[in-house]
Amino acid sequence: MTKILFLGGHFPDEMIEQIIPNSKRYIQAAADVLQKSIIKSLRLYFQEISIVSLPFVGNYPFRYTKAIISSQQIEPNHYVVGFNNIVGINFISRYIQSKKFITRWAAKESGEKYIIVYSLIIPHLKAAIEAKAADPSIKVCVVIPDLPQYMSGKTNAIYRFLKNRSFTLIKKYLQQIDSSIVLTEYMIEALHLEKKNNLVIESIFDQSFSHFPVVEKKKKKAILYSGTLDKRYGVMDLVHAFGLIKQKDYELWICGDGDSREAIEEICQHDKRIIYKGKLPRNKVLELQTEAKVLVNPRSNDGEYTKYSFPSKIMEYFASGTPCIINKLDGIPNEYYNYCFVIDGNSHELLAAKMQEVCNMPDEELKQIGQKAYEFVKSSKNCTIQGQKIYHLLNQ
């Protein structure tokens, strides 16, 4: 029987209340949800699985207020491995601590062993590859949610240089893995994984992470954007497009954090229909998604990075049962477009027209469209179906 070790950076529920107030910027909520969905999917098919997290918190002192992340056992076979979080040291500490845990785990377990590494985190990937080299019974699978060179909007020369160096090292490690789970098919070619066993899973719907309350829709035509407020994700395009709508019964709700936050707060002072609700806990965001009339993902298909990303908010939007408006993106499978409204271009005028078109539709019709989107992800993207795909991948 194959033994599984999942090595990631999710936030156990027991830790989330201390992680949020200690984070100086937004936490990686989407990555947290995806990891937990993968873990749940694995547990449906593998009896012997160990879960290890070195939490994906920001470095100290710039993005997190704690210099040391403490170890703790959450439940049997579920551990948080502590590390030194000081910037410049955390990279090495993550490697040392993850390697120590993997070594102990490998020595204790007999038979076939599979290490599943979430994300292209070099310290974790290096530790897993070295364990595989030392023990021929170990195989390594890597879950790749993003390509490193596209994970930030920073453009300065030093940052690009470091990212390129990191990517060169990552590609070297990837030649030594046994399988991968990627979010889009374009990743396989970009990472030269054609000769590996690969599985494309853009996301996983888990009902337990989608606690949408039953609330009444606002009488006003409320449009919601929730997520990272980075310019490259189109949030400012959404704000400018909304400004073209002059009717007073429209509202634009925005929640999240990012490099466009201050610009949005400034615009809110001039257009009181635009309401910035701040950085909210997940349960409040889910409530707003249910309360709004329509949800918008304004990210355009401009830029190479759209091939290598599936916007996590698409799954969350569909799960809410509230209809959504999106652009066609290379990273989104075509089947999703059957359950949402698609913008016919990248201009502010077209986005504004689409928002008005949708908001003027009968409530019952919108409800039916949102319900179909919910049923789609619930029936075809759930943990049982996606977990079965992972099970077959690891047993090829």
Side-chain angles (χ1 to χ4, degrees), residues 182-201:
V182 297
L183 266 62
T184 78
E185 59 184 13
Y186 296 102
M187 291 178 164
I188 296 172
E189 181 179 358
L191 295 170
H192 307 293
L193 295 172
E194 294 87 347
K195 296 180 181 180
K196 306 294 180 181
N197 293 323
N198 305 300
L199 173 63
V200 179
I201 291 184

Side-chain angles (χ1 to χ4, degrees), residues 214-239:
V214 178
V215 297
E216 290 187 10
K217 299 287 184 184
K218 286 289 185 181
K219 291 183 179 180
K220 286 197 172 184
K221 295 170 181 176
I223 300 164
L224 172 69
Y225 172 88
S226 58
T228 305
L229 306 185
D230 280 5
K231 185 177 180 180
R232 65 182 181 141
Y233 294 152
V235 64
M236 294 307 299
D237 292 318
L238 171 59
V239 170

Side-chain angles (χ1 to χ4, degrees), residues 63-157:
R63 297 190 174 188
Y64 201 71
T65 62
K66 301 291 185 182
I68 301 296
I69 306 300
S70 302
S71 297
Q72 59 179 291
Q73 182 170 352
I74 304 301
E75 57 187 18
N77 297 322
H78 188 176
Y79 307 90
V80 170
V81 173
F83 58 95
N84 188 317
N85 194 38
I86 298 175
V87 62
I89 299 176
N90 53 358
F91 191 90
I92 299 170
S93 184
R94 278 183 175 272
Y95 162 68
I96 293 172
Q97 298 304 321
S98 57
K99 185 171 183 178
K100 282 182 180 178
F101 190 96
I102 292 173
T103 302
R104 291 196 300 268
W105 171 80
K108 183 181 67 173
E109 302 291 351
S110 59
E112 286 193 358
K113 298 180 276 287
Y114 231 119
I115 302 174
I116 301 176
V117 182
Y118 181 87
S119 195
L120 298 176
I121 306 296
I122 290 179
H124 301 180
L125 191 56
K126 176 178 170 63
I129 292 298
E130 290 179 352
K132 170 181 163 68
D135 184 344
S137 68
I138 292 178
K139 293 182 180 180
V140 176
C141 174
V142 181
V143 181
I144 307 174
D146 294 286
L147 300 192
Q149 66 270 45
Y150 299 111
M151 287 175 65
S152 173
K154 294 181 180 179
T155 58
N156 69 74

Side-chain angles (χ1 to χ4, degrees), residues 137-353:
S137 68
I138 292 178
K139 293 182 180 180
V140 176
C141 174
V142 181
V143 181
I144 307 174
D146 294 286
L147 300 192
Q149 66 270 45
Y150 299 111
M151 287 175 65
S152 173
K154 294 181 180 179
T155 58
N156 69 74
I158 295 176
Y159 184 84
R160 290 200 308 270
F161 172 77
L162 293 175
K163 276 292 182 184
N164 289 335
R165 289 294 297 269
S166 297
F167 191 50
T168 300
L169 187 57
I170 285 169
K171 286 192 289 187
K172 174 186 173 183
Y173 289 141
L174 288 178
Q175 295 312 304
Q176 302 172 64
I177 67 171
D178 299 280
S179 60
S180 74
I181 300 171
V182 297
L183 266 62
T184 78
E185 59 184 13
Y186 296 102
M187 291 178 164
I188 296 172
E189 181 179 358
L191 295 170
H192 307 293
L193 295 172
E194 294 87 347
K195 296 180 181 180
K196 306 294 180 181
N197 293 323
N198 305 300
L199 173 63
V200 179
I201 291 184
E202 73 279 2
S203 193
I204 301 175
F205 171 78
D206 183 358
Q207 185 77 50
S208 63
F209 295 125
S210 303
H211 301 295
F212 291 92
V214 178
V215 297
E216 290 187 10
K217 299 287 184 184
K218 286 289 185 181
K219 291 183 179 180
K220 286 197 172 184
K221 295 170 181 176
I223 300 164
L224 172 69
Y225 172 88
S226 58
T228 305
L229 306 185
D230 280 5
K231 185 177 180 180
R232 65 182 181 141
Y233 294 152
V235 64
M236 294 307 299
D237 292 318
L238 171 59
V239 170
H240 294 314
F242 182 83
L244 299 177
I245 300 173
K246 302 305 180 183
Q247 290 92 327
K248 300 298 183 182
D249 60 338
Y250 281 76
E251 287 185 349
L252 175 60
W253 302 344
I254 299 175
C255 51
D257 199 1
D259 60 27
S260 296
R261 177 177 56 81
E262 291 184 2
I264 291 169
E265 289 177 325
E266 175 65 25
I267 292 173
C268 289
Q269 301 301 314
H270 304 285
D271 189 341
K272 299 302 182 182
R273 301 174 306 156
I274 302 175
I275 303 168
Y276 174 59
K277 293 182 175 287
K279 188 170 60 173
L280 301 175
R282 178 174 170 76
N283 64 323
K284 184 60 179 177
V285 173
L286 299 183
E287 181 179 325
L288 289 174
Q289 288 176 4
T290 305
E291 193 175 345
K293 193 176 188 73
V294 64
L295 313 175
V296 180
N297 177 39
R299 185 188 302 191
S300 72
N301 205 39
D302 296 335
E304 185 75 7
Y305 80 96
T306 60
K307 292 182 177 181
Y308 312 118
S309 174
F310 176 84
S312 59
K313 66 169 57 65
I314 299 300
M315 180 66 72
E316 190 173 275
Y317 280 4
F318 275 35
S320 72
T322 298
C324 64
I325 299 171
I326 67 175
N327 277 301
K328 276 198 171 185
L329 302 177
D330 290 333
I332 301 178
N334 287 330
E335 58 184 332
Y336 281 81
Y337 301 123
N338 296 323
Y339 304 96
C340 60
F341 298 96
V342 179
I343 307 165
D344 302 321
N346 290 335
S347 73
H348 295 162
E349 289 78 9
L350 287 171
L351 175 54

